[in-house]
Every structure is written in C-alpha cells, then in structure tokens.
Amino acid sequence: MTRKRVGVLISGRGSNLQALIDACEEPDYPAEIVLVISNVPGAQGLLRAEEAGILATAINHKSFASREDFDQALCRALNGATIDFLCNAGFMRLHTEGFVEHWRDRHINIHPSLLPAFKGLDTHARVLAAGVTITGCTVHFVRNEMDEGPIVAQAAVPVLKGDTAESLAARVLEAEHALYPHALRLVASGTVRVDGERIIGPDAPNQSPLFSPPL
Ligand code: GRF
C-alpha cells in the first residue's frame, strides 16, 4: 500500500492533528503526515508534531505583505515536501482562490457543525442560541467560500439540557477526533472521491461513525 503524503495546516491546540497522528500509526492507515505548518508561531500543535517525529514549521502570516504572498509561501513549503493531500485542522486563515484551485479535490477541512448550518466562528454559541437539538461536525473538501464544499463525512452530536458553548464544544470535539481520521481514511484510500461538486463512493460511508454519548 502506498500511503498518501499528507500536510496538515493548524493555528493552535492541534487536538485534531493529534487524532490524525494517532490514526496514521495504524499499520493499514492509507496516509502519513509528513509536514505540519502553523501560521501561529509557538502553537501547541507544532509540539505535538515534533513529539511524533513529524517535520513541523511555523509560517507566520503576519510576516507577509498580502494573503497571496502568505499562500505562496505555504505552497512552496508543501510542494517542497511533495505533499499529495492537505488537511486543515483548526487552521484559522482564509485561503486565496489560487491556493484553493491548486489543492482542489486534494484538500479537506473540519468544521464543528453539521454543515451547511452554522458556518463560521462562534459556532456552538450560535447553535445554542438557535435552540437546535442536534449538532455535530463535518469534514468537507475545501472550496472558495468559507466552510463550503462537498461533504466527505459527518457525525451528529446531541445538544443536552444545560449545555454551555464550552460543554458543547468539548462534546463535539470528541466527535471530531473520531470523524477526521475516518474521513481522511475514506479519501486517502480512494473509497470516496469528488467529481465536480458531487461525492462519489459506496452508499453512505459518510454516515458513520455516528457519535452517541450517553444521554
Ligand atoms: C476544532 O473544533 C475545529 O473543528 C475548528 O477549530 C477547532 C480546532 O481545534 N475548526 P484543534 O486545534 O484541532 O484542537
């Protein structure tokens, strides 16, 4: 089995990165992480990568005059490591159109809601304010619009009585840690692929794992 060479973009804590690192240790996992880049120097995720023996570097967006310059620096680093596939894991920058086009259909992101609902920031507070009873998380291919693109996999998480944005975020995060490795396996193995804006693959691989904590 040839493993896909994966780059991961982060901005902070890197707990989803850790879930991917742990998954890549499984002998039959179809991907290996070869490079981690943070736009924030000193991000905790960089330490996680280093501890796992993965090349990790910071490319500070603040050192660049424009978004284009920053994205070109990202691309140079990624291409230098011959990356096949790119995962955003808590990467808090919007990409330029050129970057999105370069990585089109080889680039996925995780978002802590059941897309297309609740795109953007402060997701959990908005979920609570809206009074929805089920939320979750989504892994999707990256497109130009924020938190848009063909959906690879989703996990549902109940909103519980008394939830705060923090308690809900923690429960969804647990689901993210199961979902992201599952989704990367689907795309890296070729089980799921994207054709235009349509996902192609076996029936409903994207409905598992459903995440059900004790009620
Ligand atoms: C996650 O909830 C992810 O879905 C969102 O930002 C958070 C990043 O957490 N985009 P971590 O850095 O992976 O711990």
Side-chain angles (χ1 to χ4, degrees), residues 33-202:
I33 301 172
V34 294
L35 178 62
V36 172
I37 303 176
S38 170
N39 67 307
V40 178
Q44 191 191 347
L46 289 172
L47 298 178
R48 296 178 189 267
E50 280 161 16
E51 268 164 32
I54 298 166
L55 185 62
T57 186
I59 301 182
N60 188 346
H61 63 278
K62 291 183 182 160
S63 313
F64 296 86
S66 69
R67 230 169 241 286
E68 283 73 18
D69 290 350
F70 170 65
D71 274 3
Q72 276 167 18
L74 277 187
C75 259
R76 272 196 299 279
L78 293 165
N79 289 332
T82 50
I83 299 296
D84 302 312
F85 208 88
L86 192 54
C87 293
N88 286 17
F91 183 67
M92 303 304 284
R93 303 289 301 166
L94 290 176
H95 297 294
T96 55
E97 281 188 20
F99 188 92
V100 170
E101 199 46 48
H102 182 81
W103 293 99
R104 194 180 181 81
D105 299 343
R106 301 184 293 149
H107 185 188
I108 56 178
N109 176 49
I110 188 158
H111 181 74
S113 77
L114 287 178
L115 292 174
F118 303 106
K119 295 170 183 167
L121 298 175
D122 296 326
T123 320
H124 305 295
R126 288 185 292 120
V127 161
L128 291 174
V132 301
T133 61
I134 297 175
T135 183
C137 48
T138 303
V139 175
H140 63 96
F141 282 94
V142 173
R143 294 291 185 258
N144 273 321
E145 281 69 38
M146 184 180 55
D147 301 326
E148 264 194 43
I151 289 171
V152 179
Q154 291 186 305
V157 176
V159 178
L160 302 182
K161 203 167 160 210
D163 256 337
T164 60
E166 290 71 32
S167 65
L168 185 56
R171 195 174 317 110
V172 171
L173 192 63
E174 228 182 294
E176 293 182 51
H177 297 163
L179 186 72
Y180 213 170
H182 169 73
L184 179 58
R185 179 190 282 280
L186 290 175
V187 291
S189 64
T191 307
V192 161
R193 61 192 174 80
V194 63
D195 178 20
E197 298 310 300
R198 238 165 27 104
I199 288 288
I200 301 195

Side-chain angles (χ1 to χ4, degrees), residues 11-24:
S11 296
R13 178 178 57 185
S15 69
N16 278 290
L17 164 68
Q18 188 68 58
L20 294 176
I21 290 173
D22 294 346
C24 287

